Amino acid sequence: MPLLGPDPDEPLAGPREDLVVSVRAIEGAQVLTVEGTVDIRTAARLSEAVTEVMARRPARVVIDLTAVDFLASAGLHVLLVAQHAAGEHTLLRVVATGPSLRSLSLTALDEVLAVYPTLSDATGS
C-alpha cells in the first residue's frame, strides 16, 4: 500500500526547528540575538534568556529577531511579558524584519512595542 503524505524520511522544508539565543553588550545595551523558529516548542528558551537579562535590570534591552524565520503566538507572548518586565527601569526595543515583522504587524504589536528595522537603529550606534 502506498504511503499517503510526505515521505517520513525526507526533511520537510520550512521553519527551522531549533532556536539559538545569544546575549552581548552593544553601545551599553544588552542585545539578545534570536535565530530560528520561535513557537510553542522553543519559546521557553527565549523566555529564559529574557528573564535572565531582565533580572540584571539593565537600562536598555534589544531583542533582535532579524534571523527569526517564524514567530508564533508563543513568541509574541514572550515579547509582551518582556515589555511588562521592563517596566520603567529598562527601555525595551525589538528589531524585526521579514517573518518576525509580519507577525508583529498582523497582531498590531508593532504599535505596542518599540520596533526598529536594524540593530544599529535600535542601539543608536
Side-chain angles (χ1 to χ4, degrees):
M1 174 176 254
L3 291 175
L4 298 176
D7 182 344
D9 295 327
E10 288 293 318
L12 297 174
R16 292 173 25 186
E17 292 186 14
D18 58 337
L19 182 72
V20 176
V21 181
S22 58
V23 180
R24 61 190 167 138
I26 299 177
E27 299 292 324
Q30 291 293 302
V31 178
L32 291 90
T33 302
V34 186
E35 300 176 52
T37 298
V38 186
D39 61 15
I40 192 71
R41 295 168 296 147
T42 61
R45 207 167 310 145
L46 176 57
S47 180
E48 290 167 7
V50 169
T51 299
E52 183 178 309
V53 168
M54 290 296 191
R56 299 181 210 143
R57 297 180 61 93
R60 292 186 298 148
V61 172
V62 176
I63 301 175
D64 184 355
L65 302 174
T66 56
V68 168
D69 53 30
F70 183 71
L71 181 61
S73 60
L76 297 172
H77 177 75
V78 171
L79 296 176
L80 287 174
V81 170
Q83 177 73 14
H84 180 73
E88 294 184 12
H89 63 82
T90 300
L91 177 63
L92 177 68
R93 294 179 172 177
V94 176
V95 182
T97 58
S100 58
L101 181 58
R102 180 167 168 76
S103 293
L104 292 168
S105 296
L106 286 172
T107 57
L109 287 181
D110 60 336
E111 297 175 18
V112 175
L113 301 169
V115 179
Y116 293 81
T118 67
L119 183 57
S120 62
D121 287 336
T123 59
S125 60

